[in-house]
Amino acid sequence: MTLAFIESRATAAAYEYAVLVTSTDYEVRTLAQLYRDRADAENNFDELKNQWGWGGFTTHDLKRCRLMAGMVALVYNWWNLFVRLANPHKHHEAITSRPLLLHGVATKTRHGGQTTLTITSQHAKQATIQAVLTRLAAFLTSLKSTAEQFTDAERLALILRRAFAKFLRGQMGPPALRFAGRLTM
């Protein structure tokens, strides 16, 4: 690895060190894991700031700032749920998921009482995008046809159970999501 602040023509190994100073009694491994967990938590705020425009507002009107911050947070949450539904086992940041899932042209056609949405993508990973959106459409179609007897809250719980499958790891989840075990998806 070449480090920018080291100027050497010799072929010697170069290392980069990080120093963590603390007054806790944790073991080194525990402290390192806590540090990694903190970095994971900060990634969400970094994404909100740099990818979603939550970096600051130019007005001094607190009411408008709160409104815009709330709108950005709502869109961020809905987008993350949508992308988790598309691929439940991996987190995709907006910088990669938006070009993948939003750069397409859609045509809506109606014939014989059916409405069809045809999406044409010009992205290089078009086949991957098609597979992801096809799986997502199949899930939503099965949800619509098999969950008609459920309330809106129960349908939302089914959606959340799929979106957070990675975190549930096969468990039924909290009581609000347990009824979803009756359905196979």
Side-chain angles (χ1 to χ4, degrees):
M1 176 173 24
T2 303
L3 299 176
F5 58 87
I6 297 176
E7 292 183 19
S8 174
R9 293 175 192 241
T11 56
Y15 299 95
E16 185 175 341
Y17 294 93
V19 178
L20 303 175
V21 179
T22 182
S23 61
T24 65
D25 296 329
Y26 293 130
E27 293 180 26
V28 173
R29 289 184 179 143
T30 304
L31 185 63
Q33 184 59 48
L34 288 172
Y35 190 74
R36 283 190 294 274
D37 291 344
R38 178 182 152 233
D40 284 344
E42 287 177 358
N43 282 343
N44 295 328
F45 292 102
D46 179 63
E47 184 179 351
L48 272 166
K49 236 173 74 178
N50 296 316
Q51 306 304 322
W52 291 95
W54 219 19
F57 305 102
T58 57
T59 180
H60 293 286
D61 184 354
L62 186 59
K63 188 174 182 180
R64 287 189 185 127
C65 287
R66 285 182 177 166
L67 176 68
M68 289 308 299
M71 289 171 61
V72 168
L74 185 63
V75 170
Y76 169 77
N77 285 335
W78 281 109
W79 181 256
N80 278 328
L81 283 175
F82 173 73
V83 173
R84 280 278 181 196
L85 279 175
N87 188 358
H89 300 290
K90 186 172 190 272
H91 172 72
H92 292 278
E93 289 193 10
I95 196 165
T96 56
S97 64
R98 284 193 307 226
L100 280 174
L101 298 173
L102 288 179
H103 289 184
V105 178
T107 305
K108 179 178 166 182
T109 56
R110 291 182 187 180
H111 180 72
Q114 287 189 323
T115 302
T116 304
L117 186 65
T118 305
I119 302 171
T120 305
S121 176
Q122 299 298 321
H123 199 282
K125 295 184 178 180
Q126 180 268 337
T128 304
I129 297 165
Q130 180 180 0
V132 166
L133 291 178
T134 301
R135 280 194 311 271
L136 180 58
F139 166 73
L140 293 174
T141 301
S142 70
L143 181 67
K144 183 180 176 184
S145 64
T146 60
E148 289 179 356
Q149 70 273 20
F150 292 138
T151 65
D152 289 342
E154 290 171 330
R155 275 186 235 120
L156 179 61
L158 285 170
I159 291 169
L160 293 175
R161 182 167 179 233
R162 177 182 165 104
F164 298 114
K166 176 182 177 181
F167 304 107
L168 294 174
R169 293 187 184 108
Q171 303 292 321
M172 293 307 291
L177 299 178
R178 288 197 182 128
F179 73 89
R182 296 181 288 183
L183 297 177
T184 54
M185 297 209 184

